[in-house]
Amino acid sequence: MMTRAEVTELVVTQKLKKGLKWTDIAKTLGRSKEWTAAALLGQMTLTAEQAQAAGQLLDLPEDAVLQLQVTPLKGSLPTAVPTDPLIYRFYELVNVYGTTFKSLIHEEFGDGIMSAIDFKMDLARESDPAGDRVRIVMSGKFLPYKQY
């Protein structure tokens, strides 16, 4: 049986060999490109139907298709502080604006958290004369802390 890490490597290789984009694979799975990328990079569980569709599109072996249906160990970064420059910028963003996010969310909603489970994300290119920008919209359900 392949490991989940080996399946992820195979998915990325097959995606490149076939010239596919995450949007192409997402259409096949009937999901967003953001969820599809997270799932096939090892962070979400696919249904049997989704795993079979991905397997057919990417020519994956049966054990890879099975592994896509296993609940993953979430958290994909190899180090506590990311070293990849793009991922580090998100780490930096949370370091700089984390207390701002927390303060504004608590002011607007009360004491609680934004769910990463009941969550949606949309990533798009935003044209700008000074150079294109990355637009990321995140939407997570607010979960208040309960008193007991």
Side-chain angles (χ1 to χ4, degrees):
M1 177 72 107
M2 298 177 76
T3 67
R4 189 58 185 90
E6 291 169 336
V7 172
T8 299
E9 287 181 31
L10 181 58
V11 163
V12 170
T13 298
Q14 291 299 96
K15 178 183 169 291
L16 289 171
K17 279 184 181 177
K18 293 179 167 289
L20 295 170
K21 293 187 174 279
W22 290 118
T23 52
D24 302 322
I25 302 169
K27 286 177 190 169
T28 298
L29 300 185
R31 294 284 175 218
S32 70
K33 69 183 181 297
E34 295 82 6
W35 185 90
T36 298
L40 292 175
L41 292 174
Q43 297 303 301
M44 303 292 172
T45 308
L46 279 73
T47 64
E49 183 178 286
Q50 291 166 336
Q52 285 294 334
Q56 287 178 348
L57 182 65
L58 296 168
D59 294 325
L60 301 178
E62 188 58 33
D63 58 335
V65 170
L66 290 173
Q67 191 65 260
L68 291 173
Q69 298 170 63
V70 174
T71 303
L73 179 64
K74 297 189 189 273
S76 60
L77 300 179
T79 60
V81 177
T83 57
D84 177 89
L86 190 140
I87 297 172
Y88 180 80
R89 292 301 167 256
F90 286 96
Y91 176 80
E92 180 180 45
L93 189 141
V94 171
N95 273 324
V96 173
Y97 292 103
T99 54
T100 303
F101 293 149
K102 179 178 175 61
S103 179
L104 291 172
I105 288 170
H106 287 182
E107 184 175 278
E108 180 72 25
F109 294 92
D111 190 14
I113 64 168
M114 181 180 88
S115 176
I117 295 170
D118 190 342
F119 180 82
K120 294 185 278 184
M121 175 177 44
D122 180 59
L123 186 144
R125 180 184 293 260
E126 189 176 286
S127 295
D128 188 293
D132 287 357
R133 302 178 68 82
V134 177
R135 183 177 55 80
I136 301 173
V137 177
M138 297 182 290
S139 173
K141 181 179 182 180
F142 178 74
L143 302 170
Y145 284 105
K146 305 231 180 220
Q147 294 185 8
Y148 53 93

